Amino acid sequence: MFDNINLLLFNYNRIINYHKSLIISKIDIAYGGNTMDIRKLQYFISVAETLSFTKAAKEHYISQTAMSQQIASIESELDVLLFDRSKYKVDITSAGEVFLGEAKEIVAKYEQAVKKTQDVHKGCKGNIHIGYAGPTEVELLREIIEEFEKKYPYVELHIEQNNFKKLSKDLKEGIYDIIFAIAGEINDIGSLEKITLKNEQAVLVVSKKHPKANKKNMNATEIADENFIMLSEECGQLNFERMIESCRQDGYEPKITERVNSLDTLMFMVELNRGVSFLPRSQINNLNNKVSFIDIINTHHSFAVEMSWIRFNKNEYIKKFIEIAKQLYY
C-alpha cells in the first residue's frame, strides 16, 4: 500500500513540475530562450549543495541528462566553468562558489515575492519579516508579538534567528523588516533607525562543580581570577569588546581561556567547569540544573537589546509593530 502511495506522490510531483516547466519554458521563448530563469538557478543550487547531478535531478524530478544540460546552459551563458567534473566526483569551482551565494539570494527574494503575492490573494493584508540574534531577545520579542497579534491578527509574522552579520546584511537588502539584537551590533546601514528597548543586569554563570556555585552574590573584583568563556568576535565584535571593557571598568583584565561560536557551546563549556561566563539576568529561568548563577555587585556588565529597521521601508505594518514595542518597553 505504501509503495502505491509513494508512486502516486512521485507521479503527482512530476506532473506539477512538468507544468511549472511548461510555464517557464514559455517565458524562455518569449525572451529568446536565453533567460537564466529561477528554475535554472534552483537546479544549480541543488547540484552545488549535493555535488551530484544524479541527486539534484531526483530532487527536481528530471533526468540526469536534463540536469547536466541545464547546468551546461548556465555555464555557456556565463562563459564560466561552475563545476569540475570527473568520472568519480563533482567539485564546485571558485567561480561557482561566488555564483552560489548570489543565486541563493536571488531565489530567496523570488520566493519571498511569490509568498507576498499569495498572501494578498489569500486575504492576508500584510506581513512582517523579523530577525533576532539569540535568547536575550526572545522574552522581549515574545511579548511584543503577542500584543501585536491581538490587534492585527490578519498580518502574518515571519520570525527567524540568525547571526549578527547575516541579520545586518539581510536588513540592508530588505529580507528582514525589523531585527532585534544586542545593542551596537547592527551598524553601517544607510537610513538605519534603532531604539534600545531593554537594558538588563548581567549575572555570572558557573558550573555546579565550581567551588563558589552556592554563593548568592559576589563583588565584581572577586571574579578577577576566574577563567572566562566568551562568545567569539565572529558572534559579535562589539559585544566581545564591550565584555572586555566592562571587566576593565570593574578593575581587572579578564583571562579568556575559551572563545566559542555559539551560546550552546558556551553553556556546555561552563557545565564542564572549564570556566565562567556572563548572561542576562532574564536567562536565569532557562538555565539547566548543571549550572548556577551568581549576582554581581558593583559591576559594569549589562545587556542592552536594540530594535532596528530601515527608515524608508514602505511596509505599513512596521510602524504599528514599532508603536507596540515602544508602548511595552520604551
Side-chain angles (χ1 to χ4, degrees):
M1 182 180 73
F2 290 109
D3 288 340
N4 290 334
I5 292 172
N6 288 330
L7 181 61
L8 284 171
L9 288 172
F10 177 79
N11 288 330
Y12 172 77
N13 283 320
R14 290 199 67 175
I15 292 168
I16 293 298
N17 279 281
Y18 170 73
H19 285 290
K20 285 182 179 178
S21 297
L22 283 179
I23 294 169
I24 295 171
S25 295
K26 289 178 181 178
I27 295 172
D28 283 345
I29 292 168
Y31 286 89
N34 293 320
T35 305
M36 192 179 300
D37 54 51
I38 294 297
R39 178 193 59 185
K40 285 186 180 179
L41 293 180
Q42 290 170 331
Y43 289 167
F44 165 73
I45 291 169
S46 291
V47 175
E49 290 181 339
T50 62
L51 294 179
S52 168
F53 284 88
T54 302
K55 291 179 181 178
K58 286 181 179 179
E59 285 182 4
H60 293 276
Y61 302 96
I62 63 173
S63 69
Q64 181 180 339
T65 301
M67 180 62 73
S68 297
Q69 289 172 345
Q70 292 293 334
I71 300 304
S73 172
I74 297 175
E75 290 177 323
S76 175
E77 189 171 338
L78 294 174
D79 195 23
V80 169
L81 191 66
L82 299 174
F83 296 101
D84 285 326
R85 303 161 175 84
S86 73
K87 185 176 180 180
Y88 301 104
K89 66 175 183 175
V90 175
D91 286 320
I92 191 167
T93 64
S94 298
E97 290 279 7
V98 172
F99 189 63
L100 177 61
E102 299 297 325
K104 282 184 173 180
E105 288 187 17
I106 292 169
V107 170
K109 287 189 176 182
Y110 166 77
E111 290 174 348
Q112 186 181 48
V114 170
K115 181 68 169 62
K116 287 181 178 180
T117 305
Q118 290 173 339
D119 285 345
V120 172
H121 178 69
K122 292 174 184 176
C124 175
K125 294 188 177 180
N127 56 67
I128 302 176
H129 292 261
I130 301 167
Y132 71 98
T136 306
E137 299 87 2
V138 168
E139 289 299 322
L140 173 150
L141 187 53
R142 182 184 292 117
E143 289 188 40
I144 298 172
I145 288 172
E146 287 175 353
E147 192 63 28
F148 182 86
E149 288 183 331
K150 288 177 187 176
K151 293 186 177 182
Y152 307 101
Y154 48 81
V155 177
E156 191 168 337
L157 301 180
H158 306 271
I159 306 155
E160 184 178 50
Q161 182 180 8
N162 233 313
N163 59 53
F164 294 123
K165 186 176 180 180
K166 180 69 172 169
L167 288 173
S168 182
K169 179 175 179 291
D170 286 356
L171 178 66
K172 184 177 181 179
E173 294 180 356
I175 294 174
Y176 291 126
D177 295 306
I178 299 173
I179 57 176
F180 291 78
I182 296 296
E185 290 297 343
I186 308 300
N187 289 302
D188 302 323
I189 300 177
S191 305
L192 180 69
E193 296 278 350
K194 58 183 179 179
I195 57 174
T196 299
L197 295 178
K198 189 177 183 181
N199 194 354
E200 62 176 302
Q201 179 186 350
V203 296
L204 189 72
V205 184
V206 304
S207 169
K208 287 286 189 182
K209 302 172 186 176
H210 194 283
K212 298 175 182 176
N214 292 324
K215 297 197 73 168
K216 296 297 182 184
N217 55 64
M218 294 173 62
N219 195 287
T221 55
E222 292 182 73
I223 62 177
D225 295 328
E226 297 288 346
N227 293 328
F228 287 94
I229 303 168
M230 291 191 180
L231 291 174
S232 69
E233 297 95 319
E234 291 181 12
C235 295
Q237 180 71 37
L238 290 176
N239 186 52
F240 181 82
E241 292 173 356
R242 190 184 296 116
M243 284 288 185
I244 294 175
E245 181 58 30
S246 295
C247 290
R248 290 170 179 165
Q249 289 175 334
D250 284 351
Y252 62 93
E253 189 70 25
K255 184 169 63 175
I256 303 172
T257 55
E258 303 269 2
R259 300 185 188 193
V260 298
N261 292 325
S262 75
L263 187 60
D264 287 341
T265 304
L266 183 148
M267 292 304 299
F268 182 52
M269 293 295 104
V270 171
E271 287 175 18
L272 294 175
N273 203 23
R274 298 278 291 272
V276 303
S277 193
F278 300 103
L279 279 182
R281 206 176 199 288
S282 62
Q283 294 303 305
I284 289 172
N285 294 332
N286 298 328
L287 299 181
N288 61 44
N289 58 9
K290 295 180 181 179
V291 298
S292 298
F293 76 90
I294 302 171
D295 283 316
I296 312 168
I297 302 170
N298 300 322
T299 184
H300 290 83
H301 285 281
S302 64
F303 290 86
V305 176
E306 286 181 339
M307 178 175 67
S308 305
W309 67 96
I310 302 298
R311 185 184 310 132
F312 300 115
N313 190 320
K314 295 180 180 180
N315 188 332
E316 62 180 300
Y317 291 103
I318 291 178
K319 185 176 180 181
K320 300 181 188 301
F321 191 92
I322 292 168
E323 286 172 356
I324 289 175
K326 286 181 176 180
Q327 289 168 9
L328 291 173
Y329 287 101
Y330 195 51

